[in-house]
Amino acid sequence: MIGSLSVYIAVIGFITLTPRDDSQSSPVVDAVLGFFHRHEATAWMTFSVLERSANVVLFMPLGLLLLATLGHRRWAAAFAIGVTYSVFIEACQALFLSGRVADPIDVVMNGLGTAMGITLGRQTLVTARSWGNREPRPGSAPGRQGDQ
């Protein structure tokens, strides 16, 4: 699991710490926003909403991988690491990447994504455990009487 976590941390670093001009939109972002604006139900989608949503989605797998690596009882440590990594990213953007814009709201959105990933992981574990502890229904378990 540590390998997957390391790779994903590197992917986030590449996405967030490579130089680019935040003042200019990319063709992919323009296409996504164009798609949303062509439909009345999603015409409210703005660049800001899309960016904030992307921050949440980007950090959800990090929360899940941190939880899987550290164990479900260390969920608070997983959350703290995710938020600390986000603060590190924003600090690097502010100090070293003149084309990037550091935004405290990004830390909040990244923390939310981390928390959602952790919650998903914990809930999946609880659900899996409850399914594993179920008593089989009479007549549905392998080896029931009459199968011999």
Side-chain angles (χ1 to χ4, degrees):
M1 198 53 62
I2 192 93
S4 297
L5 176 61
S6 300
V7 167
Y8 198 71
I9 286 173
V11 167
I12 292 174
F14 177 78
I15 291 169
T16 59
L17 296 174
T18 53
R20 74 176 170 116
D21 188 356
D22 277 347
S23 66
Q24 295 182 355
S25 186
S26 76
V28 173
V29 171
D30 290 340
V32 170
L33 287 174
F35 171 81
F36 285 126
H37 290 165
R38 284 191 299 273
H39 300 84
E40 187 176 331
T42 56
W44 53 267
M45 180 65 74
T46 64
F47 176 80
S48 179
V49 172
L50 181 63
E51 181 186 27
R52 293 190 192 325
S53 301
N55 283 337
V56 172
V57 170
L58 182 66
F59 271 72
M60 284 177 68
L62 180 65
L64 188 59
L65 288 168
L66 284 166
L67 184 72
T69 302
L70 298 175
H72 74 280
R73 291 193 173 130
R74 294 191 178 139
W75 64 267
F79 179 72
I81 291 168
V83 170
T84 300
Y85 187 48
S86 179
V87 169
F88 170 77
I89 289 167
E90 296 304 314
C92 287
Q93 287 178 347
L95 297 172
F96 306 117
L97 299 170
S98 60
R100 301 296 292 248
V101 177
D103 187 355
I105 296 296
D106 287 352
V107 175
V108 174
M109 294 295 107
N110 296 343
L112 178 61
T114 301
M116 290 173 71
I118 290 168
T119 302
L120 177 66
R122 288 179 56 89
Q123 189 58 46
T124 301
L125 184 61
V126 167
T127 302
R129 285 184 178 160
S130 71
W131 277 90
N133 292 334
R134 284 184 157 190
E135 291 291 324
R137 288 182 290 153
S140 66
R144 64 180 185 234
Q145 289 185 352
D147 285 348
Q148 297 156 357

